[in-house]
Amino acid sequence: MTPKVTIYTDGSCLKNPGGPGGWAALLRLEGTEHEKLLSGGLARTTNNRMEIMAVLMALRALKKPCEVTVVTDSQYVSNSISKGWLASWAKKNFRDSKGKPRLNEDLWRQMLEELQRHKVTLRWIEGHAGHPENELCDQTARAAASAGNLAPDTGYAATLKSR
């Protein structure tokens, strides 16, 4: 039987773009009391990159293929996956109509790999609306962004060079 997992995520960037950022994900295994809170941060990044990173790192943490419901307050992440934008970008080798690289290509390519491993459904919720798990992820992501001594976001640095 395929495990069913709900993942709540949030990303934060203290000065967007280019400031320190953090991400957080709460993973909850259906039918059990088992849950795990993950977080991390990077220096010099963007809010959107941290939103993607939260989902990506949560999916990577799953040890075997699962049925996953991702609950996010990021319309960028939710729409990119559920409305097929990501698949369209991949077909065009992550280039826009002018031939320039799409933003966050490095993370989206990694996301495609994880989406092949799991059956993923996205559910968008409004942020800062009192949703307990979203509030926990928001606080945890902000704490991760504030931790100091963060590694650089090499993907963001590469994006700056290519634009």
Side-chain angles (χ1 to χ4, degrees):
M1 184 175 210
T2 305
K4 294 183 180 180
V5 177
T6 301
I7 298 173
Y8 302 89
T9 66
D10 203 9
S12 175
C13 189
L14 301 181
K15 180 181 175 245
N16 193 43
W23 59 268
L26 176 65
L27 292 74
R28 191 174 282 161
L29 181 61
E30 187 177 302
T32 73
E33 293 186 23
H34 185 71
E35 63 180 34
K36 187 173 190 174
L37 182 62
L38 307 173
S39 66
L42 293 170
R44 204 162 145 75
T45 191
T46 69
N47 187 72
N48 280 344
R49 289 184 64 79
M50 293 297 94
E51 295 281 3
I52 299 166
M53 188 71 82
V55 176
L56 180 61
M57 298 308 285
L59 292 173
R60 275 193 184 154
L62 299 172
K63 292 180 174 59
K64 58 184 172 180
C66 297
E67 285 185 39
V68 180
T69 300
V70 174
V71 181
T72 178
D73 65 2
S74 170
Q75 288 189 359
Y76 176 58
V77 170
S78 180
N79 290 341
S80 294
I81 296 169
S82 61
K83 291 188 175 186
W85 300 348
L86 177 56
S88 177
W89 298 337
K91 285 179 186 174
K92 296 174 185 172
N93 199 29
F94 292 91
R95 296 300 178 257
D96 66 17
S97 60
K98 296 178 183 177
K100 290 187 175 187
R102 287 229 170 250
L103 289 175
N104 308 312
E105 174 185 353
D106 60 322
L107 297 179
W108 286 125
R109 285 184 183 277
Q110 295 173 60
M111 183 72 75
L112 283 171
E113 291 177 25
E114 293 304 320
L115 293 173
Q116 290 175 3
R117 246 179 25 105
H118 306 287
K119 181 181 177 192
V120 178
T121 303
L122 274 285
R123 194 173 109 216
W124 179 81
I125 59 167
E126 187 174 342
H128 308 287
H131 190 283
E133 290 86 353
N134 182 254
E135 296 295 337
L136 172 63
C137 287
D138 178 65
Q139 292 167 3
T140 305
R142 286 179 182 277
S146 301
N149 201 27
L150 299 172
D153 184 344
T154 55
Y156 176 65
T159 299
L160 291 176
K161 288 179 184 176
S162 70
R163 294 237 151 219

